[in-house]
Amino acid sequence: MSKKLIINGLLLLISCNILAQTSLFKHDKNFTRQDSLRGTITQERSWWNLTYYHLDITVNPDKKFINGKNTVQYTVLKPHLILQIDLQVPLKITKVIQNGKKLKVVSDGNAHFIHLKKHQKIGSVNSLDVYYEGYPKIAKNAPWDGGFTWKKDNNGNHFVATSCQGLGASVWWPNKDHMYDEVDSMAISVRVPKNLMNISNGKLRKIEQHKDDTTTYHWFVNNPINNYGVNVNIGDYVHFSEKYNGKAGILDMDYYVLRDNLSKAKKQFKDAPKMMKAFEYWFGKYPFYKDGYKLVEAPYLGMEHQSSVTYGNKYQNGYLGRDLSKTGWGLKFDFIIIHESGHEWFANNITNIDIADMWIHESFTAYSESLFLDYYYGKKAASEYVIGTRKSIQNDIPIIGQYDVNSEGSGDMYYKGANMLHTIRTLINNDKKWRQVLRGLNSVFYHQTVNTKQVENYLIEQSGLDLTCIFNQYLRTVKIPVFEYKINNNKISYRWNNVIEGFNMPLNILVDKKTQQLKPTKNWQTTTISSDKITVDENFYVNIKDLK
């Protein structure tokens, strides 16, 4: 990024931030100490860097009970003797062991402070074992209300899965439950009744049979993984697979579905390699070749668990058979396969540091639905789809939530965010450059946690456009810009209304079927046009008011 662009961007950002404060709609929730302990990089978290987990548990579906341990390996960044591990009630830590010695644990709600005995030398790599057990929270409405889902299939077999985005992985296993520090690699061992299989993230290393009629499935994740991306799926699964010749070589694509659904899955899951082809075109190589790609049937709608995407869309196109855009284009693909797999790039490859910036996950992934259509059906279809989703936008609270308290913003992070990105794409007006921007994001921030400013600055730098006030308008307020205009004797007077100070987004209009770009501000401007009628380019997410 050039120094001039940095300085100009910072000056405009300061101006827009100061002047936009009166426009911000605040979140009304009162936050607690528990929210802060969950959402803040506390002193007891910051001194150690997470390097490896081995989650080794037994799941008893009959009793809805789990027990086991998590081995936590870490590198010491600075000396400290108290380490925070998170585990949510009603689960309980039974003991913590380091170097054969039992450690003192002081609990404060869901945060547990482990008092270490051994001197923590800077640069040293240490580990401890956290043992736990209990009846984990039952998900009331997975995946939105997380925890364990305990169901049975049509043959009476247990059908069990975890989901925990937002609520936190600590709802079912002990870990450093903050997004900023992803574990570098992870082993997952899950012991289940012998008639069932467990499918988790990464590659299957070993299946271990036990004399008590149980089986342990040992999985290994080679890549960094965010906590909520770790999952357990237990059922009477059957497996089929294929090899995909992708951007980084041969990719294993594996599918695990309930026994009765095999024939339906073999037909419906043809969208998976189609997805991979389209998204590797738009976003670059699939980020987890060493871990493969899996679709796993789950007893809820679906979730973007890294390399283990869960699926419950009932083997039909659309969102449970519905087109969210109401344009017809949403029925051209299986929503869950496309959307949740899009998260492999935006959420699992590029991960927000704080859930307040969850739009980085959801806005880009919601827009990936449009890009899938673009790849197979063309730009017009893609535009119609994303424009059609505007009907779902609520404009209730800002897209960006509050920081350091584990608070996500508005659900508008999906389709308002997608339409903001579509607007930016229209402003760039060069699809080759737009593709370079998306691929560049996944390259520059490969396997990283990021914040909003990093993404904003990258888009500004790579687009060559000043997008600062656009981000402030759409991400930080609920105001939708209103383009006001009036035409008299082939002269058009126009301005922006309902915008923050400094909002100066250009806008395309059609005059006599020719595109003309205006540069409105909050002040009235007048220019001559060749007609007394105009059409505003609908690819811009704005409202229009003809004052006549």
Side-chain angles (χ1 to χ4, degrees), residues 192-220:
V192 297
K194 71 173 184 179
N195 64 315
L196 303 174
M197 295 176 66
N198 171 70
I199 313 302
S200 291
N201 315 77
K203 291 289 186 73
L204 183 62
R205 278 187 162 178
K206 183 174 65 172
I207 300 174
E208 184 180 4
Q209 305 286 347
H210 304 287
K211 293 181 180 179
D212 63 351
D213 290 335
T214 61
T215 303
T216 299
Y217 289 82
H218 297 275
W219 297 84
F220 188 78

Tab-separated table of all heavy atoms in Angstrom, residues 192-220:
chain	number	residue	atom	x	y	z
A	192	VAL	N	-17.252	-44.584	20.772
A	192	VAL	CA	-18.706	-44.680	20.615
A	192	VAL	C	-19.117	-46.151	20.625
A	192	VAL	O	-18.270	-47.047	20.485
A	192	VAL	CB	-19.163	-44.020	19.296
A	192	VAL	CG1	-18.859	-42.527	19.304
A	192	VAL	CG2	-18.511	-44.691	18.086
A	193	PRO	N	-20.420	-46.451	20.779
A	193	PRO	CA	-20.874	-47.842	20.667
A	193	PRO	C	-20.475	-48.440	19.319
A	193	PRO	O	-20.431	-47.747	18.301
A	193	PRO	CB	-22.398	-47.710	20.791
A	193	PRO	CG	-22.598	-46.473	21.601
A	193	PRO	CD	-21.511	-45.541	21.175
A	194	LYS	N	-20.186	-49.734	19.301
A	194	LYS	CA	-19.551	-50.359	18.136
A	194	LYS	C	-20.425	-50.337	16.879
A	194	LYS	O	-19.895	-50.458	15.772
A	194	LYS	CB	-19.146	-51.789	18.466
A	194	LYS	CG	-20.310	-52.761	18.616
A	194	LYS	CD	-19.808	-54.184	18.776
A	194	LYS	CE	-20.953	-55.188	18.831
A	194	LYS	NZ	-20.466	-56.585	18.952
A	195	ASN	N	-21.725	-50.206	17.010
A	195	ASN	CA	-22.593	-50.192	15.827
A	195	ASN	C	-22.674	-48.813	15.185
A	195	ASN	O	-23.372	-48.627	14.179
A	195	ASN	CB	-24.001	-50.660	16.199
A	195	ASN	CG	-24.693	-49.735	17.191
A	195	ASN	OD1	-24.070	-49.315	18.172
A	195	ASN	ND2	-25.948	-49.406	16.935
A	196	LEU	N	-21.959	-47.840	15.743
A	196	LEU	CA	-21.997	-46.472	15.243
A	196	LEU	C	-20.606	-46.032	14.785
A	196	LEU	O	-19.598	-46.610	15.184
A	196	LEU	CB	-22.506	-45.520	16.332
A	196	LEU	CG	-23.883	-45.817	16.922
A	196	LEU	CD1	-24.172	-44.879	18.090
A	196	LEU	CD2	-24.979	-45.677	15.847
A	197	MET	N	-20.579	-44.993	13.969
A	197	MET	CA	-19.326	-44.384	13.553
A	197	MET	C	-19.261	-42.960	14.095
A	197	MET	O	-20.297	-42.325	14.292
A	197	MET	CB	-19.239	-44.311	12.021
A	197	MET	CG	-19.185	-45.638	11.318
A	197	MET	SD	-19.210	-45.451	9.496
A	197	MET	CE	-17.626	-44.633	9.234
A	198	ASN	N	-18.043	-42.497	14.342
A	198	ASN	CA	-17.852	-41.070	14.618
A	198	ASN	C	-17.047	-40.447	13.482
A	198	ASN	O	-15.989	-40.948	13.109
A	198	ASN	CB	-17.106	-40.818	15.923
A	198	ASN	CG	-16.754	-39.329	16.043
A	198	ASN	OD1	-17.625	-38.494	16.242
A	198	ASN	ND2	-15.490	-38.993	15.860
A	199	ILE	N	-17.553	-39.330	12.966
A	199	ILE	CA	-16.871	-38.581	11.914
A	199	ILE	C	-16.522	-37.214	12.482
A	199	ILE	O	-17.386	-36.482	12.961
A	199	ILE	CB	-17.754	-38.415	10.663
A	199	ILE	CG1	-18.411	-39.745	10.275
A	199	ILE	CG2	-16.933	-37.837	9.523
A	199	ILE	CD1	-17.441	-40.864	10.010
A	200	SER	N	-15.222	-36.889	12.439
A	200	SER	CA	-14.759	-35.587	12.907
A	200	SER	C	-13.891	-34.944	11.831
A	200	SER	O	-13.862	-35.387	10.678
A	200	SER	CB	-13.992	-35.727	14.229
A	200	SER	OG	-14.866	-36.086	15.291
A	201	ASN	N	-13.165	-33.929	12.202
A	201	ASN	CA	-12.388	-33.151	11.252
A	201	ASN	C	-11.111	-33.869	10.835
A	201	ASN	O	-10.588	-34.708	11.564
A	201	ASN	CB	-12.030	-31.796	11.872
A	201	ASN	CG	-13.205	-31.150	12.563
A	201	ASN	OD1	-13.567	-31.542	13.672
A	201	ASN	ND2	-13.815	-30.176	11.920
A	202	GLY	N	-10.585	-33.484	9.672
A	202	GLY	CA	-9.303	-33.998	9.222
A	202	GLY	C	-9.393	-35.383	8.619
A	202	GLY	O	-10.419	-35.803	8.090
A	203	LYS	N	-8.278	-36.103	8.701
A	203	LYS	CA	-8.175	-37.441	8.113
A	203	LYS	C	-8.280	-38.523	9.189
A	203	LYS	O	-7.769	-38.360	10.299
A	203	LYS	CB	-6.836	-37.588	7.382
A	203	LYS	CG	-6.699	-36.745	6.114
A	203	LYS	CD	-7.571	-37.283	5.002
A	203	LYS	CE	-7.344	-36.536	3.690
A	203	LYS	NZ	-6.060	-36.863	3.051
A	204	LEU	N	-8.929	-39.622	8.827
A	204	LEU	CA	-9.059	-40.764	9.734
A	204	LEU	C	-7.734	-41.516	9.782
A	204	LEU	O	-7.252	-42.025	8.768
A	204	LEU	CB	-10.181	-41.688	9.261
A	204	LEU	CG	-10.493	-42.895	10.148
A	204	LEU	CD1	-10.951	-42.453	11.530
A	204	LEU	CD2	-11.549	-43.777	9.480
A	205	ARG	N	-7.140	-41.594	10.966
A	205	ARG	CA	-5.858	-42.270	11.145
A	205	ARG	C	-6.007	-43.740	11.515
A	205	ARG	O	-5.247	-44.599	11.077
A	205	ARG	CB	-5.045	-41.567	12.232
A	205	ARG	CG	-4.300	-40.349	11.770
A	205	ARG	CD	-3.404	-39.835	12.891
A	205	ARG	NE	-2.365	-38.938	12.386
A	205	ARG	CZ	-1.471	-38.327	13.159
A	205	ARG	NH1	-1.481	-38.533	14.468
A	205	ARG	NH2	-0.563	-37.538	12.636
A	206	LYS	N	-7.002	-44.031	12.357
A	206	LYS	CA	-7.104	-45.386	12.890
A	206	LYS	C	-8.492	-45.620	13.462
A	206	LYS	O	-9.140	-44.701	13.966
A	206	LYS	CB	-6.042	-45.571	13.985
A	206	LYS	CG	-5.976	-46.978	14.578
A	206	LYS	CD	-4.802	-47.131	15.549
A	206	LYS	CE	-4.945	-46.265	16.770
A	206	LYS	NZ	-3.895	-46.552	17.801
A	207	ILE	N	-8.951	-46.864	13.359
A	207	ILE	CA	-10.173	-47.305	14.032
A	207	ILE	C	-9.767	-48.374	15.033
A	207	ILE	O	-9.162	-49.383	14.668
A	207	ILE	CB	-11.209	-47.858	13.034
A	207	ILE	CG1	-11.604	-46.789	12.005
A	207	ILE	CG2	-12.450	-48.355	13.780
A	207	ILE	CD1	-12.508	-47.306	10.904
A	208	GLU	N	-10.099	-48.145	16.296
A	208	GLU	CA	-9.651	-49.020	17.375
A	208	GLU	C	-10.856	-49.713	18.015
A	208	GLU	O	-11.760	-49.062	18.549
A	208	GLU	CB	-8.888	-48.198	18.413
A	208	GLU	CG	-8.282	-48.991	19.540
A	208	GLU	CD	-7.542	-48.107	20.532
A	208	GLU	OE1	-7.565	-46.855	20.365
A	208	GLU	OE2	-6.943	-48.649	21.477
A	209	GLN	N	-10.881	-51.048	17.947
A	209	GLN	CA	-11.963	-51.838	18.533
A	209	GLN	C	-11.621	-52.184	19.985
A	209	GLN	O	-10.468	-52.504	20.300
A	209	GLN	CB	-12.164	-53.131	17.739
A	209	GLN	CG	-12.413	-52.937	16.253
A	209	GLN	CD	-13.795	-52.411	15.956
A	209	GLN	OE1	-14.671	-52.402	16.829
A	209	GLN	NE2	-14.031	-51.987	14.718
A	210	HIS	N	-12.643	-52.124	20.858
A	210	HIS	CA	-12.438	-52.426	22.274
A	210	HIS	C	-13.287	-53.625	22.697
A	210	HIS	O	-14.311	-53.944	22.072
A	210	HIS	CB	-12.796	-51.205	23.126
A	210	HIS	CG	-12.047	-49.964	22.745
A	210	HIS	ND1	-10.717	-49.782	23.015
A	210	HIS	CD2	-12.451	-48.834	22.081
A	210	HIS	CE1	-10.324	-48.596	22.556
A	210	HIS	NE2	-11.367	-48.004	21.984
A	211	LYS	N	-12.888	-54.265	23.774
A	211	LYS	CA	-13.574	-55.471	24.224
A	211	LYS	C	-14.950	-55.187	24.812
A	211	LYS	O	-15.761	-56.109	24.981
A	211	LYS	CB	-12.704	-56.200	25.260
A	211	LYS	CG	-11.414	-56.759	24.673
A	211	LYS	CD	-10.597	-57.484	25.727
A	211	LYS	CE	-9.307	-58.047	25.134
A	211	LYS	NZ	-8.483	-58.751	26.158
A	212	ASP	N	-15.214	-53.914	25.161
A	212	ASP	CA	-16.507	-53.586	25.781
A	212	ASP	C	-17.548	-53.162	24.756
A	212	ASP	O	-18.487	-52.432	25.076
A	212	ASP	CB	-16.327	-52.498	26.837
A	212	ASP	CG	-15.821	-51.191	26.231
A	212	ASP	OD1	-15.444	-51.174	25.037
A	212	ASP	OD2	-15.805	-50.176	26.956
A	213	ASP	N	-17.399	-53.613	23.517
A	213	ASP	CA	-18.337	-53.295	22.434
A	213	ASP	C	-18.380	-51.813	22.106
A	213	ASP	O	-19.438	-51.258	21.806
A	213	ASP	CB	-19.757	-53.795	22.781
A	213	ASP	CG	-19.843	-55.321	22.749
A	213	ASP	OD1	-19.022	-55.937	22.033
A	213	ASP	OD2	-20.708	-55.874	23.438
A	214	THR	N	-17.232	-51.174	22.195
A	214	THR	CA	-17.116	-49.784	21.753
A	214	THR	C	-15.982	-49.686	20.733
A	214	THR	O	-15.129	-50.580	20.631
A	214	THR	CB	-16.831	-48.827	22.925
A	214	THR	OG1	-15.583	-49.191	23.532
A	214	THR	CG2	-17.956	-48.860	23.948
A	215	THR	N	-15.998	-48.595	20.004
A	215	THR	CA	-14.988	-48.350	18.969
A	215	THR	C	-14.522	-46.906	19.076
A	215	THR	O	-15.333	-46.001	19.261
A	215	THR	CB	-15.573	-48.589	17.557
A	215	THR	OG1	-16.090	-49.919	17.481
A	215	THR	CG2	-14.511	-48.401	16.490
A	216	THR	N	-13.211	-46.695	18.959
A	216	THR	CA	-12.666	-45.337	18.955
A	216	THR	C	-12.205	-44.986	17.546
A	216	THR	O	-11.452	-45.743	16.918
A	216	THR	CB	-11.487	-45.196	19.921
A	216	THR	OG1	-11.923	-45.488	21.255
A	216	THR	CG2	-10.928	-43.782	19.878
A	217	TYR	N	-12.687	-43.839	17.086
A	217	TYR	CA	-12.269	-43.303	15.791
A	217	TYR	C	-11.256	-42.192	16.045
A	217	TYR	O	-11.539	-41.220	16.746
A	217	TYR	CB	-13.482	-42.781	15.024
A	217	TYR	CG	-14.382	-43.894	14.541
A	217	TYR	CD1	-15.323	-44.471	15.393
A	217	TYR	CD2	-14.267	-44.404	13.260
A	217	TYR	CE1	-16.134	-45.518	14.977
A	217	TYR	CE2	-15.070	-45.450	12.824
A	217	TYR	CZ	-16.005	-45.995	13.678
A	217	TYR	OH	-16.798	-47.048	13.260
A	218	HIS	N	-10.065	-42.353	15.463
A	218	HIS	CA	-8.971	-41.412	15.664
A	218	HIS	C	-8.802	-40.549	14.411
A	218	HIS	O	-8.438	-41.060	13.344
A	218	HIS	CB	-7.668	-42.156	15.950
A	218	HIS	CG	-7.687	-42.962	17.211
A	218	HIS	ND1	-7.402	-42.413	18.453
A	218	HIS	CD2	-7.968	-44.278	17.431
A	218	HIS	CE1	-7.479	-43.354	19.377
A	218	HIS	NE2	-7.825	-44.501	18.786
A	219	TRP	N	-9.040	-39.264	14.553
A	219	TRP	CA	-8.908	-38.319	13.448
A	219	TRP	C	-7.758	-37.363	13.735
A	219	TRP	O	-7.423	-37.107	14.897
A	219	TRP	CB	-10.207	-37.524	13.275
A	219	TRP	CG	-11.389	-38.374	12.910
A	219	TRP	CD1	-12.200	-39.070	13.768
A	219	TRP	CD2	-11.874	-38.647	11.603
A	219	TRP	NE1	-13.163	-39.742	13.076
A	219	TRP	CE2	-12.992	-39.503	11.736
A	219	TRP	CE3	-11.483	-38.242	10.320
A	219	TRP	CZ2	-13.717	-39.964	10.636
A	219	TRP	CZ3	-12.213	-38.699	9.225
A	219	TRP	CH2	-13.299	-39.552	9.382
A	220	PHE	N	-7.172	-36.816	12.664
A	220	PHE	CA	-6.091	-35.855	12.853
A	220	PHE	C	-6.247	-34.683	11.893
A	220	PHE	O	-6.440	-34.873	10.686
A	220	PHE	CB	-4.723	-36.496	12.651
A	220	PHE	CG	-3.586	-35.580	13.029
A	220	PHE	CD1	-3.250	-35.400	14.367
A	220	PHE	CD2	-2.885	-34.875	12.067
A	220	PHE	CE1	-2.220	-34.541	14.730
A	220	PHE	CE2	-1.850	-34.017	12.415
A	220	PHE	CZ	-1.520	-33.843	13.758
